[in-house]
Amino acid sequence: MSIHTPKIEKKVTITTLAKMKGVEPITMVTAYDALFAKLFDGEVEMILVGDSLNMSFLGKEDTLSATMDQMIYHTQAVCNGAKLPLIVLDMPFGSYTSAKVAVKNATRAYQETNAQAVKIEGGKERAYIVEALTQNSIAVLGHIGLMPQFLRSDGGYKIRGKDQADIDRLVEDAIALEKAGVFAIVIEGVKSEAAEAITHAVSVPTIGIGAGNSTDGQVLVWSDMFGFFEAFKPKFVKQYVDGAKQIREGLESYRDEVKSREFPSQEYIY
Ligand code: KIV
């Protein structure tokens, strides 16, 4: 049985999150617009404007064609809707190909939105980019394990941390990111033993997605957890609402009532 936890009443900062490690699990969801962001305000510590919007919002096959313009547009909307969570803009594929490119694009993200941080995918090979960003006063959320932007170069979505050698690589990645200055690390699609080892190896919070129950927090994509994305349901997704079914039922009632002239009835007429 789940207990209802109190709502969040104060603006969440990187300092708030640092204090939560080992004390209280961090909640994060994605959002792409002001309407849903407003619903999530005060309910979760963090909102990620994920490049997953390219799939669930734009209907593309993967995240790779998301652009900086798109991410900025959706982050502006989310920042208009939610005031309390720490909002993270997900840097799209190709927007951090070098330290210079990353700093230019992340600076634009800070100047054109109220996001408090950006997220980039990559382990120790991208630590120099994280370092360039943090040295330019841009807060960075790391992302290791299964990295959707590496889909084509990795030959598919692959669960990580299946053997000790890979667990060691992931731990090295996390340590390199921590040294480069990330304030937290998303761990996606890894065996739970690997996520546990990473969580113990670093002093910044880890946020898991498909990474078991030992991380310092969890993140889910809103359209998955609320049952709106029907193309594919990964094993790690718990559906808290059957959104698509409820919308279809609502639409069916609307259609029936319009066709039968039951709607608009007197109460909806001027
Ligand atoms: O784009 C996204 O929604 C993400 C989450 C899966 C962490 O990166």
Side-chain angles (χ1 to χ4, degrees), residues 28 30 32 48-53 63 90 119 121 143 148 186 188 209 219-221 236:
M28 172 157 98
T30 67
Y32 314 135
L48 171 68
V49 187
D51 62 355
S52 53
L53 65 81
T63 60
D90 204 3
K119 174 168 85 60
E121 295 181 12
H143 183 155
V186 168
E188 177 168 1
I209 173 160
V219 53
L220 282 177
V221 172
F236 63 81

Side-chain angles (χ1 to χ4, degrees), residues 6-257:
K7 289 201 192 297
I8 294 150
E9 285 172 356
K10 273 171 66 182
K11 176 73 192 162
V12 176
T13 65
I14 285 163
T15 315
T16 322
L17 299 173
K19 286 185 191 152
M20 290 175 78
K21 185 170 174 101
V23 176
E24 182 188 339
I26 296 166
T27 51
M28 172 157 98
V29 293
T30 67
Y32 314 135
D33 62 62
L35 199 65
F36 274 86
K38 194 162 185 175
L39 288 174
F40 303 157
D41 203 12
E43 304 289 346
V44 289
E45 280 87 15
M46 297 172 80
I47 291 183
L48 171 68
V49 187
D51 62 355
S52 53
L53 65 81
N54 208 46
M55 296 168 76
S56 54
F57 199 84
L58 272 100
K60 300 275 179 69
E61 292 235 315
D62 58 39
T63 60
L64 274 71
S65 56
T67 64
M68 223 29 230
D69 282 350
Q70 249 173 275
M71 300 312 299
I72 285 178
Y73 174 82
H74 287 277
T75 304
Q76 285 169 341
V78 168
C79 293
N80 289 341
K83 302 298 168 201
L84 299 177
L86 185 136
I87 296 172
V88 182
L89 178 149
D90 204 3
M91 298 284 283
F93 181 72
S95 67
Y96 50 98
T97 47
S98 69
K100 196 170 164 201
V101 171
V103 171
K104 183 166 180 273
N105 282 315
T107 302
R108 190 179 158 212
Y110 261 21
Q111 286 175 334
E112 296 181 30
T113 78
N114 284 328
Q116 285 123 292
V118 299
K119 174 168 85 60
I120 71 168
E121 295 181 12
K124 62 180 178 192
E125 79 291 352
R126 295 244 162 88
Y128 76 99
I129 292 177
V130 172
E131 205 172 314
L133 292 170
T134 53
Q135 280 176 356
N136 280 280
S137 310
I138 292 161
V140 183
L141 174 63
H143 183 155
I144 59 171
L146 186 159
M147 294 175 285
Q149 292 181 12
F150 290 44
L151 163 71
R152 296 184 200 167
S153 58
D154 279 355
Y157 295 114
K158 299 209 172 113
I159 300 302
R160 298 280 312 273
K162 287 187 175 168
D163 56 40
Q164 193 54 48
D166 200 34
I167 296 177
D168 293 345
R169 270 192 292 275
L170 288 165
V171 168
E172 265 180 46
D173 281 338
I175 291 172
L177 292 182
E178 179 177 21
K179 278 197 187 130
V182 295
F183 69 89
I185 303 172
V186 168
I187 308 175
E188 177 168 1
V190 307
K191 297 285 282 180
S192 56
E193 306 82 73
E196 191 172 354
I198 298 164
T199 301
H200 284 135
V202 292
S203 59
V204 292
T206 57
I207 318 278
I209 173 160
N213 204 357
S214 304
T215 50
D216 300 306
Q218 296 290 331
V219 53
L220 282 177
V221 172
W222 79 269
S223 43
D224 289 339
M225 67 190 290
F226 298 134
F228 286 103
F229 189 68
E230 294 181 298
F232 170 65
K233 189 182 107 46
K235 176 181 162 67
F236 63 81
V237 171
K238 179 168 177 182
Q239 237 175 46
Y240 287 87
V241 176
D242 195 346
K245 182 164 174 267
Q246 290 189 32
I247 296 290
R248 271 197 207 95
E249 284 170 4
L251 260 179
E252 214 175 284
S253 304
Y254 168 72
R255 191 184 62 229
D256 292 348
E257 290 186 10

